[in-house]
Structures are given as C-alpha cells and as structure tokens.
Amino acid sequence: MRTQVVIIGGGPSGLLLSQLLLKAGIDAVVLERRTQDYVLSRIRAGILEQGFVNLMREAGIAGRLESEGFVHDGTLIAAGNETFRIDFVERTGTPVVVYGQTEVTRDLYAAREAAGGRIIYETDGVTIHDARTDRPYVTFTAGGTEQRIDCDYIAGCDGFHGVSRQTIPDTVRKEYEKVYPFGWLGILSETPPVDDELIYANSARGFALCSMRNENLSRYYVQCPLSDRAEDWSDDAFWDELKRRIPEEAADKLVTGPSIEKSIAPLRSFVTEPMQWGRLFLCGDAAHIVPPTGAKGLNTAASDIHYLYHALKDHYLEGSDAGIEGYSAKALLRIWKAERFSWWMTNLLHRFPDQTAFDLKMQQAEIAFLRDSDAAQTVMAENYVGLPY
Ligand code: FAS
Ligand code: PHB
C-alpha cells in the first residue's frame, strides 16, 4: 500500500489532519489502535478556542459544532466567599465554544467516512521505519495480517502513550515534565448545568470545576488525591464534596443525578523536543500534555495540526519546504505558552499538599490581583480564548 501521509492515531489530532489534507487533495491513511466506539467512549475536553472552530470550518465540518455548541463569553472564578467573572469578549473580543471532544471526534469520523477516507482500525504493532530517509514506511498488523504502507511523511498523532514519540531516539529527544500531586475526579451526569457559564473554584477543600456539554448534560470535577480510585467515590459522596467546594448559591441550586461516566485523570505538564525527526512529525498529546485546568490540551493539538497541515500543503502544492523544516520550532513556541498558562491556572486554583501558610497567602493575593486588575484579567482572557496561531 502507498500513500502520501500516514497518520498514526485516530483521535482528534489525527482525524482533523486527515480531513484538512483530504480537502487539499493530499492522500492519507489513518491507523487507529482501537475501535471507533472505544475512541468515542473517552470523555475528555469540553472547551474549544475560536482557532479550533476556525480549523473545523476550514475542514468543512463545523456545521453541528456551530448549531449545537454553546458560545461562552466568560467564566466565573470562585475563591473563599467571593465569585468574580472574567469577561472574555470585553477583554479580547473573542468567546470560547463549549462542545465536547467526543462530539468533535464523532463529526470527524463521520466526515472521513462520508469522504471515503481510509481509516484502519484495531491496528497492532505499528512500527515506523526509515523516518530519516526520503522513503519512510510503516508496518503493522490488522485483522491478523502483516501490512506495510510506504509514504512520504508520517504524522504521529497517537497520544501520550503512542509509539511515535518513542521512535525518536532518546539521545535526540529532550523531555520536560512536571507531575502534580493530585488528580481530577470527573463525572458526567444527565442533569442541567448549575450555571450558564463554567465555575472554577478554589476552596479550602481543594479545586472544583462546574462545566457542561449541553442543556441536560453536565460535567463536574473535584481535585482528589492520586491514591483515590473512581470506584471508591459513590455519586452521593461526589455531589456532597462538590457542594462543599462551590459557592453556596450554586450548591443550593445544583441538580444532582446518577453519573453516566466517572473517571480520575492525573495531571501533568509535559513537552518533548524536537517534535520532528526526519519525515516524522509529532502532533497533540504525542508531543505535549497540559493539566486540563486551562482547557488547552485539545486546543494546543489544534495549532500543531494547523502548522503541519500548512507545511504539507505548501510542500505538495507550492513546492516549498519552509513549513516542513520549521514545524517543530514554530509549534513549540505556542505550546510552551499554553504550558505556562495551564501551569499558572493549576497553581492558582488547586490546594497543594505541601502548601505553606505563606504559599497560601501568595495564592490568595494572586487571586485578589486577578479579581481587581483589568490588566490581569486581560492577560488571563487572552490565554484562555487562545493565543494566535
Ligand atoms: P488522543 O490521545 O486523543 O488520541 C490518540 C489516538 O491514538 C487514540 O485514539 C489512541 O487509541 C491512538 N493510538 C495510540 N497509540 C497508537 C498506536 N500505537 N497505533 C495506532 N493508534 C494509536 N483536554 C482539554 O482541553 N480539556 C479536558 O478536560 C481534558 N481532559 C482530559 C482527560 C483525560 C483522561 C485525558 C487523557 C486527556 C484530557 N484532555 C483534556 C486532553 C485531551 O483532550 C487531549 O488533548 C486530546 O485528546 C489530544 O488529542 P490527540 O492528540 O488526538 O490524542
Ligand atoms: C470540561 O468541560 O471537560 C472542561 C472544561 C474546562 C476545563 C477542563 C475541562 O478547564
């Protein structure tokens, strides 16, 4: 088999890249380790930057997103007995859109299938060969058959636990990591959201977040010890803890119900450099991870895809390799700014086990400065709605 670009990973990064390439007439094959149902069963991101929405429009698949997504002009921050609002539109002129990653991925799969794009599911043993030559290829098994795909380029969109990053020799790779001493216990419930906007709460008992997917599907998180297991938390225990951490007014009107999904996500900041090695390019979680506090994970994958798509398009359609050669350096510039913002929001809103009384005072002063300063709110809003690509 031969194609122009092999895309390893059928998550949002790989699928979005495949759809953009297809629109540009560039042939690609997507290799996905799991089934489509399994990929769609993972509950992840909820907030899309305008840049992501624009990419979905460019890919020709923003229809449902635009009709069903919720435009949010701001968010609420609760700390101590106070709640204040960050108005994204007043500060930056730009909103964000609430539309779950599951729905994004569903739209991407539907578009690929409608266009007859090739996705090979349940691949096993994907191995990248000769990435440093001009004739790379990928081998794998699917349906019990050994297969090989010869290609021009390989996009490693296979997430944090994928094979692509490991293909770059550790003598070449430089990895940066910070693991946070807590996780997020998240639940999904078929209940109306507690507020029209998100509530990020820093309480004496720890962080909590009230989010949503639609008018009858809510997403809630509480910070929890890494030693916790989702199955140890009953729904009642979750709701009781959430009510203790969010503003009283919200707790009083919170509509609870049975969880339809419950999971604990660890929090880490991670970046690998470089993001390319010969004709292999890393995108999204394959190259970087952020704590979800700033809603940057999926949105930073999007800017990688934007850069790689234009680099490949310039190569094939314009005969220019400047984008190809400069991909990693360009992507990392925006990635590190997203890492900083996600680290800053995580430190602002969580309680750390080793936090001293002084540390707590610094956190409270930082929150008070954000509450009182136009400049601080503009800086936060600019980062939250998404820095330019
Ligand atoms: P993904 O991990 O989504 O997709 C990679 C795909 O590659 C998967 O389908 C996998 O099956 C496949 N794959 C892996 N190895 C393979 C191999 N060897 N061969 C073939 N296929 C292979 N971001 C936010 O903005 N907000 C959030 O609230 C949020 N919550 C998250 C919760 C969890 C538990 C996790 C893990 C992440 C969360 N994220 C969140 C980040 C998340 O949204 C990612 O940024 C997003 O999924 C990135 O998409 P991809 O880069 O496509 O990686
Ligand atoms: C979500 O809705 O899942 C969500 C929203 C904002 C975040 C993280 C997760 O910062």
Side-chain angles (χ1 to χ4, degrees):
M1 196 184 326
R2 186 181 213 292
T3 185
Q4 290 172 299
V5 182
V6 168
I7 297 173
I8 304 173
S13 292
L15 293 168
L16 182 54
L17 178 62
S18 73
Q19 188 62 16
L20 288 163
L21 292 175
L22 185 141
K23 298 283 283 183
I26 299 167
D27 189 54
V29 176
V30 177
L31 305 181
E32 169 51 51
R33 178 168 59 180
R34 303 286 190 172
T35 64
Q36 184 179 129
D37 286 346
Y38 183 93
V39 177
L40 291 173
S41 70
R42 296 186 301 225
I43 305 300
R44 290 190 174 167
I47 303 295
L48 304 183
E49 297 172 356
Q50 196 57 49
F52 193 107
V53 175
N54 295 341
L55 266 185
M56 291 285 278
R57 280 193 192 124
E58 190 172 357
I61 44 175
R64 200 160 70 98
L65 161 56
E66 288 176 329
S67 59
E68 296 179 18
F70 287 76
V71 176
H72 277 208
D73 292 350
T75 188
L76 299 172
I77 307 275
N81 298 321
E82 289 189 299
T83 301
F84 59 94
R85 182 168 183 268
I86 307 289
D87 190 323
F88 303 140
V89 174
E90 178 191 325
R91 301 293 179 187
T92 71
T94 308
V96 294
V97 175
V98 174
Y99 188 73
Q101 176 173 321
T102 302
E103 302 317 312
V104 167
T105 310
R106 199 188 310 280
D107 295 342
L108 287 163
Y109 271 127
R112 184 119 188 104
E113 285 168 359
R118 284 179 291 177
I119 302 178
I120 302 175
Y121 293 102
E122 297 185 277
T123 55
D124 193 21
V126 168
T127 307
I128 296 165
H129 304 270
D130 293 351
R132 299 273 289 168
T133 73
D134 59 2
R135 301 168 69 84
Y137 65 97
V138 175
T139 56
F140 60 95
T141 57
T145 310
E146 275 279 340
Q147 302 194 37
R148 165 174 170 151
I149 306 182
D150 291 275
C151 56
D152 299 332
Y153 296 99
I154 301 165
C157 301
D158 46 352
F160 187 65
H161 301 290
V163 66
S164 298
R165 184 176 71 250
Q166 307 302 334
T167 300
I168 301 177
D170 54 17
T171 51
V172 173
R173 262 185 295 136
K174 173 87 176 114
E175 296 188 348
Y176 304 82
E177 183 170 47
K178 179 181 183 60
V179 177
Y180 297 87
F182 40 73
W184 277 18
L185 167 63
I187 72 159
L188 201 60
S189 60
E190 289 171 329
T191 55
V194 72
D195 198 289
D196 295 338
E197 294 183 329
L198 271 60
I199 304 175
Y200 285 89
N202 174 328
S203 82
R205 298 177 66 92
F207 170 82
L209 171 60
C210 302
S211 184
M212 63 200 74
R213 292 294 179 270
N214 61 46
E215 60 276 351
N216 199 43
L217 192 61
S218 296
R219 180 72 168 160
Y220 294 104
Y221 298 95
V222 295
Q223 170 187 344
C224 67
L226 283 172
S227 52
D228 278 11
R229 298 179 309 160
E231 55 268 32
D232 296 338
W233 278 81
S234 69
D235 287 357
D236 287 346
F238 180 88
W239 293 121
D240 290 345
E241 188 58 37
L242 179 68
K243 287 179 182 175
R244 293 188 193 105
R245 300 190 186 189
I246 61 178
E248 196 173 327
E249 181 200 344
D252 290 346
K253 63 181 179 174
L254 179 71
V255 176
T256 65
S259 61
I260 58 172
E261 192 272 348
K262 191 185 291 178
S263 56
I264 292 180
L267 271 63
R268 79 175 74 236
S269 300
F270 176 88
V271 179
T272 194
E273 293 186 354
M275 288 173 56
Q276 67 189 94
W277 191 62
R279 292 185 170 224
L280 168 64
F281 301 90
L282 305 184
C283 305
D285 279 18
H288 45 78
I289 297 287
V290 286
T293 326
K296 290 291 151 242
L298 183 56
N299 291 301
T300 312
S303 49
D304 293 347
I305 294 306
H306 168 83
Y307 299 137
L308 185 55
Y309 161 58
H310 283 283
L312 291 168
K313 193 175 163 193
D314 290 351
H315 166 78
Y316 283 111
L317 277 61
E318 311 294 334
S320 161
D321 279 355
I324 291 264
E325 288 154 14
Y327 166 74
S328 179
K330 186 163 189 178
L332 283 165
L333 280 177
R334 189 173 189 270
I335 286 160
W336 278 113
K337 292 173 185 171
E339 291 284 342
R340 183 208 66 82
F341 176 67
S342 305
W343 163 83
W344 173 78
M345 261 190 94
T346 302
N347 280 284
L348 185 77
L349 296 172
H350 291 75
R351 294 298 170 97
F352 288 70
D354 61 351
Q355 208 163 15
T356 66
F358 179 80
D359 295 336
L360 191 54
K361 281 294 184 186
M362 289 299 98
Q363 190 181 66
Q364 289 165 349
E366 181 88 27
I367 291 171
F369 181 65
L370 179 63
R371 181 195 61 211
D372 300 338
S373 163
D374 288 345
Q377 293 201 9
T378 299
V379 166
M380 184 200 158
E382 284 182 353
N383 282 278
Y384 196 92
V385 303
L387 297 177
Y389 282 11

